[in-house]
Amino acid sequence: MRLAEDWSAEEVAATVSDYLVMLEHELRGEPYSKAEHNRTLQRMLRNRTSGAIEFKHANISAVLIEFGFPYIDGYKPRGNYQELLRDEIELRIASSVDLEQAASAAVSAPAAVPRLVASIAETFVDAPRRDRSAVRDARSTTPVIRRAVDYLEREARNVSLGASGELFALELEDRRLREEGRTDLANRIEHVSRTQGDGLGYDIVSFDSNGRERFIEVKTTRFGASTPFFASRNEVRVSEELSHHFHLYRLFAFRTSPRVFVLPGSLRHSCILDAIQYAARPS
């Protein structure tokens, strides 16, 4: 059957081009219709179904994350893609000044603290399930793709975004404890990255409803739940030493409808850690 064959260079080029058009709209906060784009591609590609196109879009998301580039949240990353796809994406990104500018503006923009409009139950969501074909295991011999600019790393260094995420998490914790009838504990929440400095390995001291301390490290992104985050060596160490109390709060979709998933305990157990930087001294 046609659908069992690899996609041709022409099909890949058309699909990547269409995806990046949608991505640029998303980065600029401009409306667009995924369904209409899919229908247009079906007419161009003829023998590719809507589902096949969406799967290819999910492949594109996986490649973009490997490039340190934002992706479209509606297309959850899926691995096992053609090398042709990666080559086409690399070429298109390198030649699109407008897309690079949109990505740069999106990750560097100052952030305001959004209103907590959803209920606590709606704001806390399950952590995304690992698609092991879409993420590189740290033990793999496959080289990590590196580009001149890692936009996801640049977003992680956005001080305004990080500070806004911490304030949102503080409000979230305050409301959670008050709804659980523990106003006494809500009054004791401490923003320790402000009061004691940012070297503790966590940002907030809160509590479980039973009174046990909850040490919260907050990581915030404007993009989707599958966006990688960056943890320091100190944060990883603290997550191990305080594993019964440590919680990483991953805030995502922060610009539009903030949601949070929680990774409790050691980050070595809850995450695939990829060493991307070394402290080097002359031998």
Side-chain angles (χ1 to χ4, degrees):
M1 292 178 62
R2 168 66 170 167
L3 292 179
E5 298 177 2
D6 281 344
W7 287 45
S8 68
E10 292 76 15
E11 289 176 314
V12 167
T15 306
V16 169
S17 177
D18 182 71
Y19 183 110
L20 295 182
V21 167
M22 291 190 288
L23 177 59
E24 187 174 339
H25 284 312
E26 188 148 306
L27 291 171
R28 297 187 187 282
E30 300 167 352
Y32 67 95
S33 168
K34 292 186 180 74
E36 182 56 39
H37 276 263
N38 191 300
R39 286 191 290 269
T40 300
L41 268 181
Q42 285 182 66
R43 290 192 292 270
M44 293 173 61
L45 305 181
R46 298 189 179 183
N47 292 318
R48 300 297 180 181
T49 65
S50 172
I53 290 170
E54 288 200 358
F55 194 94
K56 188 62 69 173
H57 282 153
N59 287 153
I60 295 171
S61 293
V63 176
L64 288 170
I65 286 176
E66 289 188 22
F67 277 141
F69 212 89
Y71 71 101
I72 297 175
D73 189 21
Y75 299 121
K76 182 180 178 180
R78 299 290 296 268
N80 296 327
Y81 50 77
Q82 296 170 266
E83 288 300 307
L84 175 64
L85 182 68
R86 184 175 70 172
D87 294 342
E88 181 67 24
I89 293 170
E90 185 172 24
L91 176 65
R92 292 299 181 108
I93 291 176
S95 61
S96 177
V97 175
D98 289 344
L99 182 62
E100 294 264 13
Q101 288 178 344
S104 181
V107 302
S108 302
V113 182
R115 292 181 57 203
L116 180 54
V117 295
S119 68
I120 293 296
E122 292 173 327
T123 303
F124 282 101
V125 299
D126 292 336
R129 297 181 62 183
R130 293 180 189 169
D131 174 9
R132 292 194 177 272
S133 69
V135 289
R136 197 190 72 90
D137 193 301
R139 296 166 296 180
S140 171
T141 57
T142 304
V144 181
I145 302 170
R146 295 291 172 220
R147 301 181 67 250
V149 179
D150 186 324
Y151 288 101
L152 301 182
E153 186 176 1
R154 181 179 289 183
E155 188 201 36
R157 296 197 304 266
N158 185 325
V159 174
S160 173
L161 180 63
S164 295
E166 290 177 22
L167 292 175
F168 183 86
L170 281 165
E171 182 183 353
L172 187 64
E173 284 298 286
D174 182 82
R175 183 182 295 186
R176 177 182 64 81
L177 286 168
R178 293 182 190 281
E179 289 186 4
E180 292 172 354
R182 296 307 308 264
T183 300
D184 58 325
L185 296 177
N187 292 334
R188 293 171 54 196
I189 295 171
E190 183 178 357
H191 192 180
V192 292
S193 64
R194 290 275 184 91
T195 61
Q196 300 183 42
D198 59 3
L200 296 174
Y202 49 89
D203 302 308
I204 296 167
V205 175
S206 184
F207 302 89
D208 295 337
S209 58
N210 62 9
R212 186 171 69 171
E213 286 182 310
R214 180 181 291 199
F215 302 141
I216 300 171
E217 172 64 23
V218 184
K219 301 289 185 182
T220 308
T221 181
R222 291 181 169 96
F223 308 119
S226 297
T227 304
F229 60 86
F230 295 82
S232 70
R233 181 170 60 181
N234 184 51
E235 289 163 356
V236 173
R237 178 185 60 80
V238 170
S239 76
E240 293 183 291
E241 294 177 353
L242 303 175
S243 60
H244 295 297
H245 299 272
F246 186 89
H247 294 70
L248 188 137
Y249 278 26
R250 180 49 161 166
L251 277 60
F252 63 95
F254 196 66
R255 181 174 61 181
T256 53
S257 53
R259 295 293 183 269
V260 183
F261 66 80
V262 180
L263 299 178
S266 170
L267 293 175
R268 292 193 185 278
H269 295 157
S270 62
C271 302
I272 295 173
L273 299 179
D274 183 16
I276 60 173
Q277 186 169 299
Y278 297 90
R281 302 193 247 339
S283 60

